[in-house]
Amino acid sequence: MKLSFVVSVQPTRFEAVAYEGELEKQLAFIAELGYQGVELAVRDPASLDVGNLKRLLQGYGLAVPAIGTGQAYIEEGLSLAHPSGEIRTRAIGRIKSHIDLARELGAMVIIGLIRGEEGGDEPRRLFVEALGECASYAAEKGVKLVLEPINRYETKLINTVEEGLAILDEIGSDVVGLLLDTFHANIEEPWVEDSVRKAGGKLFHVHIADSNRRFPGAGHFDFRSFLGSLRAIGYEGFLSAEILPWPDMNEAARRTMAFFRESFGQEI
Ligand code: LER
Ligand code: MN
């Protein structure tokens, strides 16, 4: 397993990702700390200079395990389960542009808050339909999508791994898997390690934060037991730190790396 850190490529209202201005400075800092990857939160890929981004990533030796898309909902209200067909179409179009970017960067595309906050049968049906369309496009482009169960205080649609797996069954596409975020899982899963086992080979990506969404080690989440369950299913992907800027973002990034080095050495 490898560590990455979540960074926003533009200012954002979502507080658990870093945006401190210059992207290059952040990439340099993350690489210097020893992270092997950077997860990018991208509201709209159209606003990015992809050539320059690829040069920077290559220069700092950073992989991009995944691209976050939730800002398109938070900042613009685009949602895959929106009752308005016009907004759903725009949300699907936006995810397709994230898929194009992901293909360039060798990344996966996160389906998190872009599904909106409404629960119930109709939003779920609309979401499955929209996600199916995104999955067909992703399969054509050779890109994976990861559906992230999110805690009940942020959305009513898909809070648990079990609900996520049911959606995957309905979509029936090999390119769609799950993203487990320890902050959400700690709130919603009966027993996080069991949920990891249930997800098994469908677990494509992981977000890490402690129980209070601060850096690992700042709360009471049992990372030793969690990593044991990931090893047991043969998970070899990234652990992406998506954490609050506490006491500030640089210190949080430093403390995350220090926690894993001190607790697990090279064995993560
Ligand atoms: C995003 O990865 C996340 O965890 C949510 O809290 C917001 O989209
Ligand atoms: Mn997350």
Side-chain angles (χ1 to χ4, degrees):
M1 287 176 258
K2 293 157 279 188
L3 289 178
S4 58
F5 199 81
V6 183
V7 157
S8 176
V9 299
Q10 67 276 296
T12 174
R13 272 181 286 202
F14 178 47
E15 51 178 5
V17 301
Y19 179 76
E20 309 266 321
E22 267 179 78
L23 184 63
E24 175 158 14
K25 258 197 210 155
Q26 292 181 57
L27 297 184
F29 182 67
I30 288 165
E32 195 186 317
L33 286 179
Y35 286 91
Q36 289 167 284
V38 61
E39 183 179 307
L40 300 174
V42 181
R43 181 181 59 75
D44 186 354
S47 65
L48 276 181
D49 176 347
V50 182
N52 186 47
L53 178 61
K54 280 171 90 169
R55 269 192 300 281
L56 287 176
L57 291 164
Q58 210 170 9
Y60 290 105
L62 290 167
V64 181
I67 293 171
T69 59
Q71 290 179 55
Y73 174 72
I74 296 170
E75 313 285 343
E76 293 180 59
L78 296 184
S79 140
L80 294 172
H82 202 280
S84 149
E86 193 244 314
I87 293 180
R88 279 200 311 284
T89 302
R90 283 178 52 212
I92 293 168
R94 182 64 61 85
I95 291 295
K96 287 181 179 173
S97 72
H98 282 104
I99 291 169
D100 293 338
L101 173 65
R103 181 187 164 91
E104 290 277 329
L105 301 178
M108 297 183 276
V109 174
I110 297 173
I111 306 294
L113 265 188
I114 190 78
R115 64 180 171 274
E117 295 168 56
E118 292 306 314
D121 290 347
E122 186 58 6
R124 191 182 182 285
R125 187 187 70 75
L126 294 172
F127 174 62
V128 168
E129 193 178 279
L131 184 58
E133 188 176 334
C134 296
S136 304
Y137 188 79
E140 266 172 45
K141 302 283 173 178
V143 169
K144 287 181 175 157
L145 305 181
V146 280
L147 174 59
E148 179 177 27
I150 290 176
N151 80 73
R152 70 188 71 180
Y153 306 106
E154 293 183 52
T155 181
K156 295 186 185 69
L157 191 58
I158 312 155
N159 304 124
T160 63
V161 163
E162 193 176 4
E163 288 165 331
L165 287 171
I167 299 274
L168 263 50
D169 265 357
E170 284 174 49
I171 304 277
S173 164
D174 289 347
V175 301
V176 190
L178 288 188
L179 156 54
L180 185 144
D181 181 323
T182 58
F183 171 68
H184 301 308
N186 182 61
I187 295 170
E188 297 293 349
E189 303 302 325
W191 192 250
V192 179
E193 291 79 353
D194 272 354
S195 303
V196 167
R197 276 186 280 276
K198 280 184 190 144
K202 284 288 174 194
L203 185 62
F204 288 1
H205 190 44
V206 171
H207 278 168
I208 47 165
D210 216 319
S211 49
N212 46 14
R213 215 168 203 178
R214 290 178 177 175
F215 58 80
H220 60 257
F221 187 78
D222 187 345
F223 282 96
R224 186 163 296 279
S225 170
F226 177 63
L227 290 194
S229 69
L230 290 177
R231 277 189 215 102
I233 62 160
Y235 180 79
E236 287 181 345
F238 273 87
L239 307 176
S240 251
E242 184 184 55
I243 54 183
L244 294 171
W246 183 88
D248 58 62
M249 203 39 98
N250 288 357
E251 188 58 15
R254 241 185 241 117
R255 297 288 291 268
T256 299
M257 183 52 77
F259 174 83
F260 281 95
R261 286 209 170 128
E262 282 158 24
S263 316
F264 305 105
Q266 293 309 313
E267 46 159 323
I268 81 154

Tab-separated table of all heavy atoms in Angstrom, residues 6 14 16-17 39 68-71 74 110 112-114 148-151 154 179 181 183-184 207 213 242, ligand 1:
chain	number	residue	atom	x	y	z
A	6	VAL	N	-4.758	14.297	-0.436
A	6	VAL	CA	-5.772	14.939	-1.283
A	6	VAL	C	-5.550	16.451	-1.338
A	6	VAL	O	-5.438	17.114	-0.313
A	6	VAL	CB	-7.201	14.659	-0.762
A	6	VAL	CG1	-8.232	15.268	-1.700
A	6	VAL	CG2	-7.449	13.158	-0.616
A	14	PHE	N	-15.239	22.701	0.471
A	14	PHE	CA	-15.110	21.427	1.189
A	14	PHE	C	-13.855	21.504	2.041
A	14	PHE	O	-12.749	21.671	1.536
A	14	PHE	CB	-15.029	20.272	0.192
A	14	PHE	CG	-14.855	18.924	0.832
A	14	PHE	CD1	-15.636	18.539	1.916
A	14	PHE	CD2	-13.914	18.030	0.359
A	14	PHE	CE1	-15.479	17.303	2.509
A	14	PHE	CE2	-13.745	16.783	0.932
A	14	PHE	CZ	-14.532	16.419	2.016
A	16	ALA	N	-12.171	19.425	4.059
A	16	ALA	CA	-11.200	18.345	4.327
A	16	ALA	C	-10.189	18.138	3.204
A	16	ALA	O	-9.573	17.093	3.106
A	16	ALA	CB	-11.928	17.038	4.637
A	17	VAL	N	-10.026	19.111	2.325
A	17	VAL	CA	-8.951	19.020	1.330
A	17	VAL	C	-8.154	20.313	1.327
A	17	VAL	O	-8.670	21.385	1.638
A	17	VAL	CB	-9.460	18.732	-0.113
A	17	VAL	CG1	-10.227	17.434	-0.171
A	17	VAL	CG2	-10.291	19.871	-0.644
A	39	GLU	N	-3.956	12.883	-4.653
A	39	GLU	CA	-5.303	12.759	-5.196
A	39	GLU	C	-5.808	14.172	-5.479
A	39	GLU	O	-5.705	15.048	-4.618
A	39	GLU	CB	-6.199	12.061	-4.161
A	39	GLU	CG	-7.605	11.842	-4.684
A	39	GLU	CD	-8.476	11.123	-3.666
A	39	GLU	OE1	-8.081	10.046	-3.181
A	39	GLU	OE2	-9.551	11.674	-3.354
A	68	GLY	N	-11.188	13.467	-7.408
A	68	GLY	CA	-12.437	13.744	-6.698
A	68	GLY	C	-13.303	14.681	-7.525
A	68	GLY	O	-12.790	15.561	-8.228
A	69	THR	N	-14.623	14.482	-7.448
A	69	THR	CA	-15.547	15.224	-8.313
A	69	THR	C	-16.604	15.999	-7.519
A	69	THR	O	-17.406	16.726	-8.103
A	69	THR	CB	-16.280	14.238	-9.251
A	69	THR	OG1	-16.993	13.282	-8.421
A	69	THR	CG2	-15.305	13.469	-10.128
A	70	GLY	N	-16.622	15.816	-6.197
A	70	GLY	CA	-17.706	16.351	-5.355
A	70	GLY	C	-17.878	17.855	-5.423
A	70	GLY	O	-18.967	18.374	-5.155
A	71	GLN	N	-16.811	18.560	-5.813
A	71	GLN	CA	-16.925	20.024	-5.863
A	71	GLN	C	-17.903	20.494	-6.939
A	71	GLN	O	-18.445	21.581	-6.853
A	71	GLN	CB	-15.548	20.630	-6.088
A	71	GLN	CG	-14.674	20.446	-4.856
A	71	GLN	CD	-13.288	21.022	-5.062
A	71	GLN	OE1	-13.141	22.186	-5.399
A	71	GLN	NE2	-12.290	20.205	-4.886
A	74	ILE	N	-20.890	20.560	-4.786
A	74	ILE	CA	-20.822	21.543	-3.703
A	74	ILE	C	-20.842	22.976	-4.256
A	74	ILE	O	-21.543	23.846	-3.734
A	74	ILE	CB	-19.548	21.308	-2.846
A	74	ILE	CG1	-19.607	19.943	-2.157
A	74	ILE	CG2	-19.374	22.413	-1.800
A	74	ILE	CD1	-18.309	19.515	-1.480
A	110	ILE	N	-13.784	9.400	-8.724
A	110	ILE	CA	-14.587	9.189	-7.517
A	110	ILE	C	-16.028	9.659	-7.715
A	110	ILE	O	-16.273	10.780	-8.170
A	110	ILE	CB	-13.948	9.937	-6.329
A	110	ILE	CG1	-12.554	9.354	-6.044
A	110	ILE	CG2	-14.844	9.838	-5.086
A	110	ILE	CD1	-11.773	10.125	-4.991
A	112	GLY	N	-18.678	10.498	-5.411
A	112	GLY	CA	-18.995	10.774	-4.014
A	112	GLY	C	-20.225	11.658	-3.943
A	112	GLY	O	-21.328	11.252	-4.341
A	113	LEU	N	-20.025	12.908	-3.517
A	113	LEU	CA	-21.180	13.800	-3.347
A	113	LEU	C	-21.838	14.230	-4.650
A	113	LEU	O	-22.913	14.844	-4.626
A	113	LEU	CB	-20.753	15.049	-2.561
A	113	LEU	CG	-20.986	15.002	-1.056
A	113	LEU	CD1	-20.705	16.376	-0.450
A	113	LEU	CD2	-22.403	14.562	-0.695
A	114	ILE	N	-21.233	13.901	-5.781
A	114	ILE	CA	-21.831	14.226	-7.082
A	114	ILE	C	-23.186	13.510	-7.247
A	114	ILE	O	-23.966	13.824	-8.137
A	114	ILE	CB	-20.851	13.887	-8.244
A	114	ILE	CG1	-21.312	14.415	-9.610
A	114	ILE	CG2	-20.575	12.406	-8.337
A	114	ILE	CD1	-21.087	15.851	-9.848
A	148	GLU	N	-18.310	6.020	-3.465
A	148	GLU	CA	-17.925	6.227	-2.064
A	148	GLU	C	-19.149	6.313	-1.156
A	148	GLU	O	-19.909	7.276	-1.246
A	148	GLU	CB	-17.120	7.533	-1.945
A	148	GLU	CG	-16.705	7.852	-0.512
A	148	GLU	CD	-15.854	9.117	-0.408
A	148	GLU	OE1	-15.990	10.008	-1.267
A	148	GLU	OE2	-15.057	9.202	0.547
A	149	PRO	N	-19.348	5.310	-0.265
A	149	PRO	CA	-20.388	5.480	0.758
A	149	PRO	C	-20.007	6.675	1.646
A	149	PRO	O	-18.850	6.799	2.051
A	149	PRO	CB	-20.343	4.168	1.541
A	149	PRO	CG	-19.736	3.172	0.600
A	149	PRO	CD	-18.731	3.976	-0.180
A	150	ILE	N	-20.976	7.547	1.914
A	150	ILE	CA	-20.718	8.789	2.668
A	150	ILE	C	-21.687	8.846	3.849
A	150	ILE	O	-22.835	8.425	3.735
A	150	ILE	CB	-20.901	10.019	1.739
A	150	ILE	CG1	-19.762	10.062	0.705
A	150	ILE	CG2	-20.946	11.322	2.515
A	150	ILE	CD1	-19.866	11.175	-0.324
A	151	ASN	N	-21.226	9.374	4.974
A	151	ASN	CA	-22.055	9.329	6.189
A	151	ASN	C	-23.373	10.100	6.056
A	151	ASN	O	-23.505	11.012	5.245
A	151	ASN	CB	-21.243	9.782	7.409
A	151	ASN	CG	-21.134	11.282	7.492
A	151	ASN	OD1	-22.101	11.976	7.824
A	151	ASN	ND2	-19.972	11.822	7.166
A	154	GLU	N	-24.115	13.908	5.524
A	154	GLU	CA	-23.756	14.582	4.268
A	154	GLU	C	-24.658	14.187	3.108
A	154	GLU	O	-24.850	14.947	2.170
A	154	GLU	CB	-22.297	14.291	3.899
A	154	GLU	CG	-21.310	14.911	4.876
A	154	GLU	CD	-19.855	14.677	4.457
A	154	GLU	OE1	-19.509	14.980	3.313
A	154	GLU	OE2	-19.088	14.181	5.295
A	179	LEU	N	-15.039	2.921	-2.949
A	179	LEU	CA	-14.045	3.682	-2.204
A	179	LEU	C	-14.506	3.683	-0.756
A	179	LEU	O	-15.640	4.094	-0.471
A	179	LEU	CB	-13.988	5.123	-2.752
A	179	LEU	CG	-13.469	6.252	-1.841
A	179	LEU	CD1	-12.111	5.962	-1.265
A	179	LEU	CD2	-13.442	7.547	-2.630
A	181	ASP	N	-13.965	5.262	2.871
A	181	ASP	CA	-13.364	6.396	3.586
A	181	ASP	C	-13.500	6.085	5.077
A	181	ASP	O	-14.613	5.891	5.585
A	181	ASP	CB	-14.136	7.665	3.193
A	181	ASP	CG	-13.617	8.939	3.849
A	181	ASP	OD1	-13.207	8.887	5.035
A	181	ASP	OD2	-13.650	10.000	3.201
A	183	PHE	N	-13.334	7.803	7.698
A	183	PHE	CA	-14.135	8.736	8.479
A	183	PHE	C	-15.626	8.379	8.373
A	183	PHE	O	-16.329	8.281	9.383
A	183	PHE	CB	-13.899	10.172	7.994
A	183	PHE	CG	-14.840	11.178	8.605
A	183	PHE	CD1	-14.758	11.493	9.952
A	183	PHE	CD2	-15.815	11.796	7.831
A	183	PHE	CE1	-15.638	12.414	10.519
A	183	PHE	CE2	-16.691	12.715	8.399
A	183	PHE	CZ	-16.609	13.030	9.734
A	184	HIS	N	-16.085	8.134	7.155
A	184	HIS	CA	-17.502	7.774	6.970
A	184	HIS	C	-17.780	6.369	7.530
A	184	HIS	O	-18.799	6.135	8.167
A	184	HIS	CB	-17.874	7.813	5.484
A	184	HIS	CG	-17.653	9.140	4.841
A	184	HIS	ND1	-18.154	10.301	5.365
A	184	HIS	CD2	-16.969	9.506	3.725
A	184	HIS	CE1	-17.792	11.321	4.591
A	184	HIS	NE2	-17.066	10.864	3.594
A	207	HIS	N	-9.863	6.160	1.402
A	207	HIS	CA	-9.560	7.465	2.012
A	207	HIS	C	-9.284	7.232	3.489
A	207	HIS	O	-10.049	6.522	4.155
A	207	HIS	CB	-10.765	8.422	1.906
A	207	HIS	CG	-10.870	9.111	0.587
A	207	HIS	ND1	-11.998	9.807	0.204
A	207	HIS	CD2	-9.983	9.221	-0.442
A	207	HIS	CE1	-11.795	10.316	-1.007
A	207	HIS	NE2	-10.586	9.965	-1.419
A	213	ARG	N	-11.820	13.097	11.770
A	213	ARG	CA	-11.390	13.571	10.446
A	213	ARG	C	-10.076	14.360	10.507
A	213	ARG	O	-9.708	15.029	9.560
A	213	ARG	CB	-12.485	14.369	9.726
A	213	ARG	CG	-12.423	14.118	8.226
A	213	ARG	CD	-13.587	14.608	7.409
A	213	ARG	NE	-13.628	13.815	6.175
A	213	ARG	CZ	-14.536	13.927	5.226
A	213	ARG	NH1	-15.504	14.825	5.334
A	213	ARG	NH2	-14.506	13.157	4.159
A	242	GLU	N	-7.491	12.242	3.382
A	242	GLU	CA	-8.466	13.320	3.132
A	242	GLU	C	-8.872	13.848	4.512
A	242	GLU	O	-9.781	13.316	5.144
A	242	GLU	CB	-9.675	12.766	2.371
A	242	GLU	CG	-10.674	13.842	1.998
A	242	GLU	CD	-11.905	13.245	1.341
A	242	GLU	OE1	-12.533	12.351	1.944
A	242	GLU	OE2	-12.244	13.671	0.238
B	1	LER	C1	-15.310	13.027	-0.337
B	1	LER	O1	-14.325	12.059	-0.591
B	1	LER	C2	-15.918	12.820	0.990
B	1	LER	O2	-15.433	12.048	1.765
B	1	LER	C3	-17.137	13.552	1.363
B	1	LER	O3	-17.125	13.825	2.733
B	1	LER	C4	-17.477	14.769	0.590
B	1	LER	O4	-17.708	14.521	-0.729
